[in-house]
Amino acid sequence: MEHGIALTQKNFSLKYDTNIPRQVGLAGSSAIVTAVLRCLMKYYNLSDHDMPKHVQPKFILDVETSELCIQAGLQDRVVQVYEGLVYMDFNEDVMKQGFGDYNYLDAVVPPLWLAY
């Protein structure tokens, strides 16, 4: 209830599996935490109105730093939340509001592949 969102008392189980190595810069932990947040939001019938997109990346980062003790920045989390090409402004004055300035960019991006 810290942020004014009352959640019903329901049990759930969470299980995941990954083959992304830890702390190699492939955004594995942030992808998992982002996916968990989305699952919990759906499970508790929460929408982007309840937790706006612009605050989700910071929430995800806070989970990673406080619960997983991973030092990171907001960039991966912003892209994962917004799902696309995003302009991000982390100017000190902008960040005083608790989040950056994030805007979708309309651009045609060719399919990208990551080979590991």
Side-chain angles (χ1 to χ4, degrees), residues 18-22 24 26-29 31:
T18 182
N19 60 3
I20 299 173
R22 267 182 66 87
V24 293
L26 295 177
S29 63

Side-chain angles (χ1 to χ4, degrees), residues 3 6 11-12 20-21 27 30-31 36 42 59 64 67 87 96 99 102 109 115-116:
H3 296 280
N11 293 330
F12 64 89
I20 299 173
S30 61
V36 169
K42 185 172 183 174
F59 180 83
E64 287 186 272
E67 299 297 325
Y87 167 81
K96 287 179 184 173
F99 49 88
Y102 315 128
V109 178
Y116 171 75

Side-chain angles (χ1 to χ4, degrees), residues 20-76:
I20 299 173
R22 267 182 66 87
Q23 297 184 311
V24 293
L26 295 177
S29 63
S30 61
I32 292 168
V33 176
T34 301
V36 169
L37 175 61
R38 286 187 183 151
C39 289
L40 288 172
M41 287 178 70
K42 185 172 183 174
Y43 183 76
Y44 286 108
N45 295 315
L46 301 175
S47 68
D48 289 341
H49 175 74
D50 299 303
M51 180 181 271
K53 278 193 174 192
H54 63 269
V55 300
Q56 291 177 29
K58 178 72 166 86
F59 180 83
I60 293 163
L61 178 61
D62 289 346
V63 169
E64 287 186 272
T65 56
S66 65
E67 299 297 325
L68 303 177
C69 300
I70 294 174
Q71 298 302 313
L74 286 166
Q75 293 87 341
D76 291 340

